[in-house]
Structure formats: C-alpha cells, structure tokens
Amino acid sequence: MAEAEQKLASGTARIDFATDPLRYRHWKLGIDGKVATLVLDVDEKGGLFTGYDLKLNSYDLGVDIELADAFERIRFEHPEVRVVLLRSGKPRVFCAGANIRMLAGASHAHKVNFCKFTNETRNAIEDASAGSGVRTICVISGTAAGGGYELALAADHIILVDDGSSSVSLPEVPLLAVLPGTGGLTRITDKRKVRRDRADFFCTTEEGVRGKRAAEWRLVDETTPNSLLESAIAARSHEFAGDPPPYPPPQAGEGRVGAGEGREEAVIQGIALTPLERALSVGRRDYKYVSVAFDRAARVATITLRGPDLPSPASVDEMVSRGAAFWPLRVARELDDAILDIRLNELDVAAIVFKSEGEPQAILDYDLFLDQQGRHWLAREIRLKWKRVLKRIDHTSRSLVALIEPGSCFAGTLAEIVLAADRSYMLIGQREGDNRPPARIALGDVNLSGRLAMSNGLTRLHTRFLGEPEAHDTARQAIGQTLDAETAAVCGLVTFALDDLDWEDEIRVFLEERASFSPDSLTGLEANLRFGGPETMETKIFARLTAWQNWIFQRSNATGESGALSRYGTGRKPEFDTRRT
Amino acid sequence: MAEAEQKLASGTARIDFATDPLRYRHWKLGIDGKVATLVLDVDEKGGLFTGYDLKLNSYDLGVDIELADAFERIRFEHPEVRVVLLRSGKPRVFCAGANIRMLAGASHAHKVNFCKFTNETRNAIEDASAGSGVRTICVISGTAAGGGYELALAADHIILVDDGSSSVSLPEVPLLAVLPGTGGLTRITDKRKVRRDRADFFCTTEEGVRGKRAAEWRLVDETTPNSLLESAIAARSHEFAGDPPPYPPPQAGEGRVGAGEGREEAVIQGIALTPLERALSVGRRDYKYVSVAFDRAARVATITLRGPDLPSPASVDEMVSRGAAFWPLRVARELDDAILDIRLNELDVAAIVFKSEGEPQAILDYDLFLDQQGRHWLAREIRLKWKRVLKRIDHTSRSLVALIEPGSCFAGTLAEIVLAADRSYMLIGQREGDNRPPARIALGDVNLSGRLAMSNGLTRLHTRFLGEPEAHDTARQAIGQTLDAETAAVCGLVTFALDDLDWEDEIRVFLEERASFSPDSLTGLEANLRFGGPETMETKIFARLTAWQNWIFQRSNATGESGALSRYGTGRKPEFDTRRT
C-alpha cells in the first residue's frame, strides 16, 4: 500500500471544500417548485487526485464535496424545496460507489477521512429529512453498487426499476475485502432493519439483489417497471411534497406561534450562500469571524472564534436581509471549513485549541433571538447547521482543548465548543498588564434544549453529567448567568481553573504531552471517551463501523501488496492470510 | 512484530481451558461461609507461553483461564457465597495488568482473542452480580495498573488504600500506545460514568490517581487508611452478604413460589464441576454430548450437539443429584470448551457448522423443567451459564451456520444456536434412504423470555425481527409447536429451506465461498450484522472498543519495530508516525 500522498489534480497543495453549483463537475442541481433534482453525472476526468478515472459514476472526495454543498444550498437557498430526487445522468448505472483506484492509491489517513466525510454527508441528507422535512427519493435505474447503494440508503425512499438488471448491491466483502463502510452495514441493520441472515446473504453476494426480492427484503421501498417509472416518481414526489414540514415543539417564551407558522408558509424565500472570504497564508487562515493559526513545530492549530460585530437583529426580516453575513450562520460556515481543512490538509496537527473573543452577552442575545424565532425556517436551519458543525467537531480525530481567557465569549452556542473539547482550561482572574475583566462562561437554553444534540441523541451537558445528575440541575439553574473560573470548575463545566502563574506551563506541558503520544491511541481513546451513554445509528457508524473499517484498511488482506483492494482490476486474485482473529 | 506463534510452556500444541483450583498457579480460592476470597499471587514462572516472566502480578491468558474457572466454581460449587473478595497476594501491587512482553510477542490473532476472553471473564464477574447476586469487592493496596484496574472495574465495589502510594491507573496510551481494551474505557464512561474530561486526564496520566481524588472522580468507591482496611473490608462484606439474592420474577405456571424460596435458604449446597471428559484426536474432539469434526482442507469445524439420554428429572432433588452430569449443564460446559478451543487453537477455521441429534420434545421438556424450577439456584445458574455460552458464540469471530436436518433437535435452548447463526439451512422432507422424519424446529418460552438475552439486551428473536414485529408475534404463537422446513422459512426462523436435490451443492458452495473471502472483512461484517438495535456496555466493549484496539494493534505506532509495545522496557523511546487519521 503506497503511503505516498496522491497529487491533487488542481495542482494545489490543499483540498478545498468550498464550491458552488456553477463549479460542479459531477452533479447537476435543478429546482422545480417544491422538488429539487440532483443528477449524478460524474466527469470521468474530474477526479480530485491524479492517477484514476471516475468511471461508471464512481466517486471520490471531490464528488462528495459537491453533494454536501448541494444539500446545504437546497436548505438555505431553496427552503421551499420539500423533495429531493437523486438520479443518475448515465444509462444502466446509478453509481458504482467509491472509486477503487482512488482508494487503493490513497494514504490510510485519506481513506479514513474520506469515509468520515462521506458519512457526514449521508447523515446530513437524513438530517435534512428529520430536521427540515426535506424528503429524499433515490431513483435507481441500473446498478447501485457499494457506496452507490450506501448513498441510496441515506434517502427516505428508494425506487428501484424492475427491469431484470437494475440492482442494489454491497459487494465490498467479496470483491474488495473491505466493508461497506459509508454507513452501509449500519443502515441495513438499524435503519432498514433487514433481517440479519438476509443481510449476510446480501452483503456477500457480488451481484446484489434485484426486483421483487429487493423490496421484500426491505432493501428498497418500491419497484416499478421502467415504463411506469416517471409516474411513480411523480406520485411519490407529490405525496412527500404534501407532508407538513417539521416544526420544533413550542418553547417557553417563544410567542406568536401561529404568526410564525403563517409567516413560513407565506414568505418562503431563500438566502444566497455567498462564497466564504478567506485569506490563506503559510501559517494562518483568516475568515471574518474565524482565524486559524498553525504552530507546526508544536503540531497545534489554534482556532479563534470572534463574536458578532452587530447586535442581534430586531426582526426576522432583518435576519433574512443579513443573509449569509448573519453572524451565527457565517461563523458556522467558516468554522466548518476550518475544521475540514485541518482534518484533510493538516494531518500532522495533534491538537486543536479553541479560543474566542467577544462579549458573552452578545452570544446569548443571538441565541435568544434564534430561540424566539425558532419556527422561522432560517432560524431553524441555522440551528441545524450548528448542530452539524458541532457534530463534525465531536467526530474530528484530533485532541480538542478549549482555553477560556479574559475577553473570551464561550456562551450559549459557543459554550458547546467547551463542552465538545476533551479538556478545557479557564483562567482565574485577570492577567498582569491586561485590564480586560476575568474570563466568564455562560449557558443558555440552547445548551439544554437538545437543539444542538450530539450524535448520541443527548446534549453535551447531559453526556458530561451522566454520572452527576445534580450537576446537570445546577447547570440548568445557571442558565443566563456569567460564571467565573472557580464557579465554572465547581459546577463541573470546565476541567481545570488555573491562575496566571500556572497557566502557561500547564497548557504547554499538556500540548507537548499530547503531541508526544501515539496519534492512533489518541484517536481510539477520544472516540471512546467522547460518547458515553446511549448509542444511535450515527454513533454506531462513526464508532463501530468506522473502527472495523479502519482495522481492515490496515490489514494486508485488503491493502497489502497481494490484498484485494490492491489487486482489484488487475485480473490477479488476492492472496489472503486465512487466520481469523 | 513477530507473527510467529509463541511456544506453549506446557510443550503441548493447544491451549487448554480446563482447570480446577488444585491446579491453579496464580490464584488462591478460599471460602469462608458467605464470603469467598480470590487472592492473585501470580507465579512469575507460570506463563502460558515461553519467553516472558509474569512479574508484578501481570497476567496472560493462563491467569485469566483460572479466574474464569474460579467464578464458575463459586457459582456452581459454592452457591452459598454472596461476596467475592479480589485481593493481591503480593505487597505494593494489586496487579500490573496484561503482561507486555507476552503482548509484544503474541500474534495479532492471539492478542485479539486474549482480549476477547478477558473481556468475557470480566463480564462474567458482572453477570454473577446481576444474575446471581454474588457481589465482588476489589481491594487495592498498592498499584492497580492497566488491566489490573480493568479487573477492578468489573467488581461491584472498589476499596483503595489511601496510603500515599496505592493508585489506580490506565497508562496504556502514554506507555504502550494502545488502549485500555479490556473494557477499561467503556467501564469508565458507561459503568462508573466518570466525567469525560476527567477520564481524558486519567487515561493519559501514567502514574494514575490516588486517594481522595480517586474517590471524588468515582474511579473507586471508597478509600481507607491502611490501619482500617480490614475492618472496612469486613463491614462491606457483611453489608453485601446481607443483600437478598436476585430471583427471576415469577413466571406463569411456575407454582410453589414460597416453597422454592424456602428451599433455597434451607438447602443451599453446591454441586461438583467434575472434569470434562474429552477424547481428542487430530481431526476430532469428542465430549459426551458434543463432538467437533475438523475438515481442515475446507477450513470448516462441524459441532454436533446431542440431546439428552435421560428424561428430564422428576424433581429438583433429582436435578441436583445428577449434578455436572445433568444434560443442560454438561452440554453447556462442553460446548463452551469446544468454542474456546476453536477460537484459540484453530485459527484457520473459517466457518463453524452446527448440527444436532435428538428429539426436539426432549429439549423442550428440559426447558420446561428449568422454567418450572426457575427459582432454584441450580436451575437459575444453568440458565445463566447458557446465556454466557450463547453470548460467547455471538462474539466468536467465525462464520456460523446451522444445518437443520432429519434427526436434529434444534428446539428451545438449542434453537438459540440457529438464531445465533449468520445463516441457517433447513432440509425439506426426508432424505432418500433415511427413514427419520423430516427436520423440525421448535420454540419454547425460553426463546422469548429474555433469560438467554444477547449482549444487546434483546432476545435473538427480537433482534432478528426488529423490522418485522408481526413475525415476532407469529413466533410467539408457535411456541411449543414443531415446525417443518417450509413453515420455519415462512415464519422467518431459518434463512433457507432446501430440498434434498439442492442441499449438498448449496451448502458446499456457501462454505467454499466463505472460505474464499478475506477473514478480516468477514470479521467486520459479522460483528456489525449480528448486533442490530440497542447497544449496551457489553456490545460497546466487543464492537467499539475492541474494533479500535484491533486497529491500533495493527498500527506500526504500537506494534511496528519502533512502536511503543515493541520498545517497552528496552529503554528506547518509540518512534511515531505523527499523522492523525
């Protein structure tokens, strides 16, 4: 397995996650009233890296970056959309899954991060359904193999053409000696609840399953002859478009529920997700509200989040008119981009340090505004976007630490970052020569409401205090109060409260220690400690399925010179070490 | 990492799981009324393999085989025991954890199976508490490091001496670049519910945590000065010994509840777990009710279970007097030994085929007897033993298939094996030249009562029918009926019903196919498909934690030539690939 980095086709050194529909090479996004259509028509020559062609609608990270972008745009730019149709622009194939040559040539770190991102994209499709009522229908005419079928599994409804050849399959085990790791196995057992012995048969059958049996085994939701396909699609689209959108349950103090509802139905017009403005230099990455500074010798990336420079809006109309410049949305998009950049482009970074600058009260004001307007589509979408970004942080395989210093604004939504960190340090009192008041943190309703819940379905506070329900009650009582370091420590909200004398040494030693440990053992440690308590399909995908896939990606049976992934397409059979473990 | 097999110190070719207290080299078992004491005093020179000394009460699989045996004996031979004290026989150390030199020299398959067995032993300690009311108190005077603390975590109550040096620690990440994989991370977060940032600190601190902080962070339950240790132990033992034993809730048709209760308190005398009688040849392993036949060319082990040769007993006294020869107990012990033998000694076996011989009604009769006597300690222990053996099968990393043929007796408890299999094949009708009646399977109360629940907390039937509640209802209605192949298939209880014409070819092709796949991808596939639905601490340990550990065990940062596990104790620092994945 070549661990040499593949070369980006763009000739640049970094993978860029920013795109827009005019630049898509692989997807075509069309909007027709309440129905959006996303057509997958992969440009064979449009691979992210050099060295492979994206045949048969197979995909690499570049294809998935466009898909993720498309769903973001549907939700923000076209909130009127109730149904997304996923279709293929090629005959006889829906999607052949992840490109094998890309996988065979990718570094272990890229393979793992590619799988993680594609899983997040599939989860976002499901989040659009659960959170925004955007139902996705996947139309399979031809073959949907491996990652192609995994993409279909993210949809609410799968229509399979019953023409004797269209099929769904997960041929990873027989063909490639790896797993259907983009949520495939988990969605088969936990979403579609396919009987386990049928799942075993299905996942070991290269050619997959067609027609009636696919429906009977619940691998798809309906089958239709080709001649009736368009009318079946139209019928389902019409049905799903008529479903009422989900609204969050009314919250205390929300007010004017009826008015909000009326407003949504009456004035439903999107906002433009304008391009992120970024200044990139060797050691920094500067957005408007987010900056990243790299200390590559120490293997640390410091992300500083800045609070809003405008007060929270006076009205929904003002929020909408601010659009992509609206602080909570802009900072979320910038933070998301920064995290992805570190994940894929800065593999040597051991720890991400989070800092913030601003007024805690300003953050709480914005949170209150979003709570009060919680029934407005844009307020709802911004919360859901934050939920996804925070989950992305939870699932980022780097040590996460929050430093809470004078002048910081870890309140409300931003306090979630403190709770997402593996550890947090808070400075007691003021610094010599710094007349800013001592650091404060503050919780808001948003930290307890579940609107920013983790993948395990619990709030970060709940997860933190699984063993200390009384601490959870104390946190609830502290909503809206700004807490100093010693109080925050007593309440269990931060790991350590330190005075200025100890601060620098403690942090330095911690970061040095983190950089000295085996990156792999830290990945395993953090993946286990971050998710106490219940499990969901999402946590199963990111913890169980991903861990097994990572293991298999290291095994010579898959990625060794004679492994199945390496020999795929060569005409030579793989050679296996037959010992079971 | 040397993948060459280590040599067994015994000079034999197979690891033997059978032992008894007279043969223990590492543990001393003492019984004093309701309190059993298990003293860990490892014989340095008593390693299972050659090439390492078991210093500082460190352990290998051999030490754990004795521990597992000791708990079995406490439950069956000394049912009067209510409390087990786990103590060290050595000064200044409770247990230093798994032996590093053993780990560094072990094959990947042995490391993984060693971890699996030790996890099962820890789970059995917890099962003794939950199922039998046997409370375990772990007394730590000195250091409990790594696997030593993980052993303590399996106890109900941990007493730590507060003497300025006794400590608990999980130093795997900083010292060895691996995880505390014997349930450590999961028990920290999900059993003891330690706050995640404290857990992060604890798991990255080589020297661990002592005294008051250990109690405050819930890493231990109480601390005591050395001078008060014995009185603290006596007080806790007295307290726990007074707890009422758990009884299963009364079941319909159980009858004479009061009498049963009185009986237990009055006549509580154990039975002797006599040595298993085994005849071992190159190709076979024959017990009284279990036979294993190896087809090493095909990489298949066939396990045949035989039904009882006596009718079910007429009374509790008769059950007790049969003792270890009582069919349900004997077959469970034999099956357990056979499974462990395959796991550790027959690494090349790809698939385990389960067959059975006997009268289905005889199995149902025994099940009914055990149900009716469910409040008797021995009936309860036998059920709990079966529950553990079946879980061991669920967690066995080989393809499992049940073949249901004329003359078989997959009914009640034995039907669980069909439900545990990845696939099952049932023959329709009779075979030419075989006048036995067509194959039948039958469900009993035991398949639905939850008494043989999987690690996920559900019955195998419930797990199977997560997506088909109506099939679960049908199964309930079929209790006690013998079902032929076609009915069983329609009910969803077997994967395929085949007639004699197709049988041989289908099975042969399936087994050949299984042997042709990558063993690793099958391990990952099966670990994911077998456990749909909810997760528990146990499933987290076997799926999430184990998968991450397996991955790490393959990474050069741990097991490469310059990895931490390989360099441990050499004085040379490990060298890490610093890229995070």
Side-chain angles (χ1 to χ4, degrees), chain A residues 197 200 348 464 495 514 578, chain B residues 197 348 464 495 514 578:
Chain A
D197 52 346
D200 180 276
D348 253 346
R464 184 175 186 80
T495 316
R514 221 62 180 187
T578 53
Chain B
D197 52 347
D348 254 346
R464 184 175 186 81
T495 316
R514 221 63 180 187
T578 53

Side-chain angles (χ1 to χ4, degrees), chain A residues 216-231:
Chain A
E216 190 190 319
W217 287 16
R218 280 197 308 284
L219 298 165
V220 304
D221 296 284
E222 66 178 304
T223 58
T224 173
N226 206 25
S227 58
L228 298 177
L229 177 61
E230 296 307 322
S231 61

Side-chain angles (χ1 to χ4, degrees), chain A residues 219-280:
Chain A
L219 298 165
V220 304
D221 296 284
E222 66 178 304
T223 58
T224 173
N226 206 25
S227 58
L228 298 177
L229 177 61
E230 296 307 322
S231 61
I233 295 169
R236 288 296 170 190
S237 301
H238 184 76
E239 177 193 340
F240 292 148
D243 287 351
Y247 289 105
Q251 300 287 312
E254 195 167 46
R256 292 206 314 147
V257 166
E261 259 175 13
R263 183 195 305 272
E264 165 138 17
E265 289 309 312
V267 190
I268 185 108
Q269 197 176 334
I271 60 161
L273 292 180
T274 50
L276 295 175
E277 290 160 35
R278 303 173 296 189
L280 177 63

Side-chain angles (χ1 to χ4, degrees), chain A residues 14 279-286 291-297 300-303 341-342 346 349:
Chain A
R14 300 173 91 86
L280 177 63
S281 64
V282 173
R284 296 188 58 84
R285 201 161 175 85
D286 286 295
S291 289
V292 188
F294 295 103
D295 180 346
R296 295 203 172 82
V300 171
T302 300
I303 297 183
D341 175 50
I342 293 170
E346 298 281 345
V349 164

Side-chain angles (χ1 to χ4, degrees), chain B residues 93-333:
Chain B
V93 63
F94 171 72
C95 169
N99 186 275
I100 309 307
R101 287 189 174 281
M102 176 280 294
L103 278 181
S107 69
H108 183 68
H110 183 79
K111 273 202 289 292
V112 169
N113 276 295
F114 163 69
C115 289
K116 189 177 282 183
F117 184 82
T118 54
N119 271 313
E120 288 170 327
T121 307
R122 309 296 170 275
N123 290 347
I125 293 174
E126 291 174 330
D127 177 66
S129 175
S132 310
V134 177
R135 309 283 295 269
T136 296
I137 298 172
C138 184
V139 181
I140 299 176
S141 175
T143 53
Y149 179 51
E150 294 182 284
L151 172 57
L153 285 169
D156 294 281
H157 192 87
I158 304 174
I159 301 177
L160 175 68
V161 174
D162 189 2
D163 58 2
S165 68
S166 292
S167 65
V168 296
S169 63
L170 292 177
E172 284 86 346
V173 169
L175 274 187
L176 304 168
V178 300
L179 295 183
T182 308
L185 296 182
T186 308
R187 288 202 171 82
I188 287 282
T189 55
D190 284 75
K191 182 179 185 179
R192 302 194 71 90
K193 299 186 172 67
V194 175
R195 223 175 67 199
R196 48 170 284 204
D197 52 347
R198 287 174 168 171
D200 180 276
F201 179 88
F202 175 62
C203 296
T204 52
T205 305
E206 211 175 297
E207 64 273 21
V209 168
R210 294 189 303 264
K212 300 276 176 284
R213 177 179 260 189
E216 190 191 319
W217 286 17
R218 280 198 306 284
L219 298 165
V220 304
D221 295 284
E222 65 178 303
T223 59
T224 173
N226 206 23
S227 58
L228 298 177
L229 177 61
E230 295 307 323
S231 61
I233 294 169
R236 287 296 169 190
S237 300
H238 185 76
E239 177 193 337
F240 292 148
D243 287 351
Y247 289 106
Q251 299 287 311
E254 197 166 42
R256 291 204 314 145
V257 166
E261 257 174 16
R263 182 194 306 272
E264 165 138 18
E265 290 309 310
V267 189
I268 185 110
Q269 197 176 334
I271 61 161
L273 291 181
T274 50
L276 295 175
E277 290 159 36
R278 303 172 297 189
L280 178 63
S281 65
V282 174
R284 297 188 58 83
R285 201 162 175 83
D286 286 295
Y287 307 78
K288 172 134 196 226
Y289 296 117
V290 174
S291 288
V292 188
F294 295 103
D295 179 345
R296 294 205 172 80
R299 297 180 45 225
V300 172
T302 300
I303 297 183
T304 302
L305 302 154
R306 284 179 289 277
D309 44 4
L310 287 178
S312 68
S315 67
V316 156
D317 293 340
E318 194 182 332
M319 166 176 71
V320 173
S321 75
R322 289 190 199 174
F326 184 50
W327 178 81
L329 176 56
R330 184 158 185 169
V331 70
R333 290 179 70 210

Side-chain angles (χ1 to χ4, degrees), chain A residues 219-529:
Chain A
L219 298 165
V220 304
D221 296 284
E222 66 178 304
T223 58
T224 173
N226 206 25
S227 58
L228 298 177
L229 177 61
E230 296 307 322
S231 61
I233 295 169
R236 288 296 170 190
S237 301
H238 184 76
E239 177 193 340
F240 292 148
D243 287 351
Y247 289 105
Q251 300 287 312
E254 195 167 46
R256 292 206 314 147
V257 166
E261 259 175 13
R263 183 195 305 272
E264 165 138 17
E265 289 309 312
V267 190
I268 185 108
Q269 197 176 334
I271 60 161
L273 292 180
T274 50
L276 295 175
E277 290 160 35
R278 303 173 296 189
L280 177 63
S281 64
V282 173
R284 296 188 58 84
R285 201 161 175 85
D286 286 295
Y287 308 79
K288 174 139 193 222
Y289 297 117
V290 174
S291 289
V292 188
F294 295 103
D295 180 346
R296 295 203 172 82
R299 298 180 43 225
V300 171
T302 300
I303 297 183
T304 303
L305 302 155
R306 284 178 289 277
D309 44 4
L310 286 176
S312 68
S315 69
V316 156
D317 293 341
E318 195 183 332
M319 166 176 70
V320 173
S321 74
R322 289 190 198 173
F326 183 49
W327 177 81
L329 176 55
R330 184 159 183 169
V331 69
R333 291 180 69 210
E334 293 176 351
L335 177 57
D336 206 27
D337 193 63
I339 292 287
L340 288 170
D341 175 50
I342 293 170
R343 267 199 200 167
L344 271 293
N345 295 318
E346 298 281 345
L347 299 177
D348 253 346
V349 164
I352 299 176
V353 172
F354 288 98
K355 299 187 175 196
S356 65
E357 292 172 2
E359 281 300 322
Q361 189 56 51
I363 315 297
L364 295 181
D365 289 347
Y366 270 83
D367 276 331
L368 185 65
F369 176 83
L370 289 175
D371 281 342
Q372 285 172 338
Q373 307 302 335
R375 299 177 82 82
H376 187 274
W377 75 267
L378 182 55
R380 183 189 67 210
E381 286 303 334
I382 290 171
R383 282 279 197 242
L384 290 166
K385 173 76 180 171
W386 263 102
K387 187 176 172 185
R388 295 195 294 282
V389 174
L390 288 164
K391 284 183 187 179
R392 180 110 72 196
I393 292 173
D394 294 331
H395 291 297
T396 292
S397 151
R398 310 298 166 98
S399 296
L400 307 173
V401 55
L403 300 187
I404 310 160
E405 299 168 282
S408 65
C409 58
F410 287 114
T413 294
L414 294 193
E416 287 296 309
I417 289 171
V418 176
L419 301 172
D422 298 304
R423 291 197 207 174
S424 53
Y425 293 85
M426 190 162 176
L427 188 80
I428 300 170
Q430 289 180 289
R431 281 216 171 94
E432 202 158 303
D434 181 346
N435 61 4
R436 286 177 298 182
R440 295 280 192 281
I441 63 169
L443 299 176
D445 273 322
V446 73
N447 305 110
L448 287 106
S449 68
R451 289 188 181 172
L452 301 177
M454 299 170 63
S455 287
N456 65 3
L458 305 183
T459 64
R460 286 176 188 77
L461 268 180
H462 191 167
T463 303
R464 184 175 186 80
F465 293 135
L466 278 170
E468 295 160 81
E470 67 288 356
H472 194 262
D473 291 342
T474 306
R476 186 182 294 279
Q477 284 155 22
I479 282 185
Q481 299 172 33
T482 58
L483 310 174
D484 65 18
E486 279 150 320
T487 311
V490 168
C491 291
L493 295 170
V494 298
T495 316
F496 297 113
L498 301 174
D499 58 29
D500 198 19
L501 230 64
D502 295 327
W503 181 266
E504 208 139 320
D505 271 358
E506 286 271 349
I507 310 292
R508 184 181 50 75
V509 166
F510 165 67
L511 291 173
E512 283 174 6
E513 185 183 84
R514 221 62 180 187
S516 77
F517 293 155
S518 151
D520 310 319
S521 65
L522 284 177
T523 293
L525 179 73
E526 291 158 4
N528 278 279
L529 295 187

Side-chain angles (χ1 to χ4, degrees), chain A residues 3 5 107-109 112-113 116 173-174 177-180 185-186 188-190 193 195-201 203-204 213 217-218 299 347-350 397-399 419-424 454 464-468 489 492 494-496 510 513-514 516-535 539-540 542-548 550-552 554-555 557 576-581, chain B residues 3 5 107-109 112-113 116 173-174 177-180 185-186 188-190 193 195-201 203-204 213 217-218 299 347-350 397-399 419-424 454 464-468 489 492 494-496 510 513-514 516-535 539-540 542-548 550-552 554-555 557 576-581:
Chain A
E3 274 285 320
E5 298 299 318
S107 69
H108 183 68
V112 169
N113 275 295
K116 189 178 283 182
V173 169
V178 300
L179 296 182
L185 295 182
T186 309
I188 288 283
T189 54
D190 285 73
K193 299 185 171 67
R195 221 176 68 199
R196 48 171 285 204
D197 52 346
R198 288 173 168 172
D200 180 276
F201 179 88
C203 296
T204 52
R213 177 179 261 188
W217 287 16
R218 280 197 308 284
R299 298 180 43 225
L347 299 177
D348 253 346
V349 164
S397 151
R398 310 298 166 98
S399 296
L419 301 172
D422 298 304
R423 291 197 207 174
S424 53
M454 299 170 63
R464 184 175 186 80
F465 293 135
L466 278 170
E468 295 160 81
V494 298
T495 316
F496 297 113
F510 165 67
E513 185 183 84
R514 221 62 180 187
S516 77
F517 293 155
S518 151
D520 310 319
S521 65
L522 284 177
T523 293
L525 179 73
E526 291 158 4
N528 278 279
L529 295 187
R530 288 178 190 170
F531 296 93
E535 298 265 336
T539 60
K540 276 191 179 186
F542 287 115
R544 161 187 290 234
L545 181 58
T546 298
W548 284 112
N550 285 9
W551 177 64
I552 290 167
Q554 283 294 112
R555 296 285 286 168
N557 287 337
F576 294 138
D577 174 348
T578 53
R579 289 175 296 178
R580 286 276 312 232
T581 47
Chain B
E3 273 285 319
E5 297 301 317
S107 69
H108 183 68
V112 169
N113 276 295
K116 189 177 282 183
V173 169
V178 300
L179 295 183
L185 296 182
T186 308
I188 287 282
T189 55
D190 284 75
K193 299 186 172 67
R195 223 175 67 199
R196 48 170 284 204
D197 52 347
R198 287 174 168 171
D200 180 276
F201 179 88
C203 296
T204 52
R213 177 179 260 189
W217 286 17
R218 280 198 306 284
R299 297 180 45 225
L347 299 177
D348 254 346
V349 164
S397 151
R398 310 298 167 96
S399 296
L419 302 172
D422 298 304
R423 292 197 206 174
S424 53
M454 299 170 62
R464 184 175 186 81
F465 292 135
L466 277 170
E468 294 160 82
V494 299
T495 316
F496 297 112
F510 165 67
E513 185 183 83
R514 221 63 180 187
S516 77
F517 292 155
S518 152
D520 310 319
S521 65
L522 284 176
T523 293
L525 179 74
E526 290 157 5
N528 278 278
L529 295 187
R530 288 179 190 169
F531 296 92
E535 299 265 337
T539 61
K540 276 191 178 186
F542 287 116
R544 159 187 292 233
L545 181 58
T546 298
W548 285 112
N550 285 8
W551 176 64
I552 290 168
Q554 283 294 113
R555 296 285 286 166
N557 286 337
F576 294 138
D577 174 348
T578 53
R579 288 175 297 177
R580 287 274 314 231
T581 46

